[in-house]
Amino acid sequence: MKNSIAILLVLAFGFFLVHILQLYHTQETLNKTATYYNTNTPAEVGAANVVTAIVVTYRGLDTLGEVTVLFLTAMILGYILRQGGKEKVTKNNTSEILITAANVLIPGSIVLGVYVFINGHLTPGGGFQGGAIIGTAITLMILANPMRTIREGLLHMVESISGFFYVLIGLAGLLFAGGFLDNRILPLGTLGDLFSAGAIPLIYSLIGLKVGTEISSIIANINETGNNTVKL
Amino acid sequence: MTLTIDKVALVLGMILMLIGLWGGFTRTNLLKIILSFSIFDTGLNILIVALGYLPGRTAPIIDGNVVTAENLAVKAIDPVPQALVLTAIVIGFGVTALMLAYALKMNQHRKSLDINHYTDLKW
Amino acid sequence: METFELITLIILAVVMIISAVMAVLSKEMPLAILASGAISLLASIFFLVLASPDVAMTEAAIGAGLTTFLFFIILRKTDQNKTENEK
């Protein structure tokens, strides 16, 4: 009975999707919005990567909201997992291979993450990808040495400071340029240089630090939770 | 109707979404339900990116050789779905982490991950 | 060239669908999690072919790496609880 209702719902959804598929035809030219972005990005924003220009400048407010959602997720996670108490790791039974490999890989991963988000306006990549790579490096650190406790205060401080400066740069755009999060508060420079595209490298670095610390604190919070049952 | 890359991706995304939906409805293990949700998420992302693809064009990144600042509008694909999916993946990670944390709490209180054992709200 | 690309992509798509069915149906939880990670990894190849390298990088780092790792941490924590119950 329960299964048949589920299959009926899936079939209804599939019928809806097949209808979309019948209406779909491959486009040959860009639509109006995409044409605007593709035509005007080099002159208006000065970034070689159009996706970065949309994420950081044209739709900058949405990105601010998105980073805020991730911040709220990390906060709620810390709150609901705090009741379980800390898990005590008393002995370090990590293998020697993992510890040695981690010591070699962690600095390289962090440098790669920083490289990815600083070059976000020139090559594929940016704050979200670089932040995820930094989060992976912190995860490897936790795996290699479970006895080390991550200093959450430091993570939260880096996160708050980068969020604060992100909003501050946005407000500076409101004062000195066209609007909130406008990147033309700094000179645009020549297309393709590392220091070009106005404030985009700065904003994307702050986003990268924020996303990296948020992902690290999510992983550290879940990893450190003990299983003490709280009596309700 | 000729077969192109974007149609293959579109059909794949739809099938992944249907499998994820079916798994979410029929499984009883909480972790399996969250896993099905993440499959649904991946399928939806493939579908949105496939909608922005134009055959014979390349990524909207100026490299100076194939794509330059002048021919960006005729050589590059639609960048808007990519910007959407970029943030959707990160939000998907946050939502998955939150659901997993709640599953962990449920497991601590009820000592089980099977939703058939949660009988408080049944009558 | 075009047909070769299409055939490769269709094979990839079939592998992804089989992995998805395995992830939903498998009784072994680690196998299901690994199948889900494989779907994300192959999806990042799909994004690269669809000319969106930004999305491919994000999917490979977050979908295939961090989400799989998160599921394994939760699996370890819930399994611990189960063995304590059995004692």
Side-chain angles (χ1 to χ4, degrees), chain C residues 1 3-4 6 9 18-20 25 36 38 40 42 52 56 59 61 68 70 76 80-81 87:
Chain C
M1 192 60 212
T3 45
F4 176 72
L6 267 177
L9 280 182
I18 291 171
S19 307
L25 287 183
S36 160
S40 287
L42 296 178
S52 37
E59 181 73 39
T68 312
L70 209 58
R76 178 175 67 89
Q80 239 173 22
N81 225 339
K87 269 173 199 169

Side-chain angles (χ1 to χ4, degrees), chain A residues 62-115:
Chain A
D62 297 359
T63 308
L64 183 62
E66 194 261 331
V67 175
T68 312
V69 169
L70 203 60
F71 168 71
L72 281 177
T73 308
M75 286 293 109
I76 295 168
L77 243 154
Y79 174 70
I80 62 169
L81 290 180
R82 194 186 298 154
Q83 301 159 349
K86 296 267 179 187
E87 187 183 32
K88 293 278 184 299
V89 183
T90 43
K91 69 173 194 294
N92 190 353
N93 49 9
T94 317
S95 77
E96 194 64 39
I97 297 170
L98 181 61
I99 294 174
T100 314
N103 284 338
V104 177
L105 284 176
I106 287 167
S109 309
I110 291 181
V111 170
L112 177 69
V114 172
Y115 174 82

Side-chain angles (χ1 to χ4, degrees), chain A residues 126-173:
Chain A
F128 296 112
Q129 293 90 329
I133 292 170
I134 291 179
T136 315
I138 305 280
T139 307
L140 192 57
M141 208 148 95
I142 295 171
L143 272 183
N145 190 355
M147 296 181 59
R148 173 188 300 178
T149 47
I150 302 291
R151 280 165 60 197
E152 304 235 335
L154 184 72
L155 284 182
H156 288 170
M157 202 173 72
V158 172
E159 207 245 307
S160 320
I161 287 175
S162 42
F164 177 71
F165 277 101
Y166 184 22
V167 176
L168 215 61
I169 289 175
L171 290 176

Side-chain angles (χ1 to χ4, degrees), chain A:
Chain A
M1 178 62 196
K2 224 185 252 176
N3 269 352
S4 61
I5 292 176
I7 285 176
L8 213 65
L9 278 170
V10 170
L11 279 182
F13 193 66
F15 182 73
F16 172 67
L17 287 181
V18 167
H19 188 63
I20 291 181
L21 197 63
Q22 280 170 347
L23 290 177
Y24 176 80
H25 55 273
T26 308
Q27 288 170 319
E28 295 296 327
T29 51
L30 292 174
N31 56 26
K32 259 186 174 174
T33 321
T35 312
Y36 178 85
Y37 286 142
N38 272 356
T39 316
N40 295 329
T41 295
E44 276 186 356
V45 182
N49 188 343
V50 184
V51 178
T52 299
I54 292 174
V55 167
V56 179
T57 306
Y58 288 120
R59 294 266 148 250
L61 196 61
D62 297 359
T63 308
L64 183 62
E66 194 261 331
V67 175
T68 312
V69 169
L70 203 60
F71 168 71
L72 281 177
T73 308
M75 286 293 109
I76 295 168
L77 243 154
Y79 174 70
I80 62 169
L81 290 180
R82 194 186 298 154
Q83 301 159 349
K86 296 267 179 187
E87 187 183 32
K88 293 278 184 299
V89 183
T90 43
K91 69 173 194 294
N92 190 353
N93 49 9
T94 317
S95 77
E96 194 64 39
I97 297 170
L98 181 61
I99 294 174
T100 314
N103 284 338
V104 177
L105 284 176
I106 287 167
S109 309
I110 291 181
V111 170
L112 177 69
V114 172
Y115 174 82
V116 165
F117 66 64
I118 283 182
N119 282 291
H121 58 301
L122 302 176
T123 51
F128 296 112
Q129 293 90 329
I133 292 170
I134 291 179
T136 315
I138 305 280
T139 307
L140 192 57
M141 208 148 95
I142 295 171
L143 272 183
N145 190 355
M147 296 181 59
R148 173 188 300 178
T149 47
I150 302 291
R151 280 165 60 197
E152 304 235 335
L154 184 72
L155 284 182
H156 288 170
M157 202 173 72
V158 172
E159 207 245 307
S160 320
I161 287 175
S162 42
F164 177 71
F165 277 101
Y166 184 22
V167 176
L168 215 61
I169 289 175
L171 290 176
L174 204 58
L175 284 179
F176 302 114
F180 191 69
L181 281 172
D182 196 330
N183 68 326
R184 283 171 293 186
I185 52 171
L186 295 174
L188 286 186
T190 46
L191 187 73
D193 280 4
L194 181 58
F195 293 102
S196 67
I200 283 184
L202 209 59
I203 296 174
Y204 235 3
S205 304
L206 292 176
I207 293 175
L209 284 177
K210 205 164 153 59
V211 171
T213 45
E214 274 156 0
I215 287 176
S216 310
S217 81
I218 286 175
I219 299 261
N221 260 325
I222 289 186
N223 192 42
E224 283 174 4
T225 318
N227 45 20
N228 308 340
T229 313
V230 185
K231 292 281 178 289
L232 287 176

Side-chain angles (χ1 to χ4, degrees), chain B residues 110-121:
Chain B
R110 307 289 153 87
K111 304 292 177 198
S112 166
L113 277 173
D114 196 329
I115 53 171
N116 285 333
H117 295 164
Y118 303 156
T119 51
D120 292 9
L121 286 174

Side-chain angles (χ1 to χ4, degrees), chain B residues 3 13 24 27 29 41 56 62 64-65 74 78 105 115 119:
Chain B
L3 197 63
R27 298 297 102 182
N29 188 327
D41 206 26
I62 298 168
N65 297 320
V74 292
D78 193 348
K105 285 319 266 192
I115 53 171
T119 51

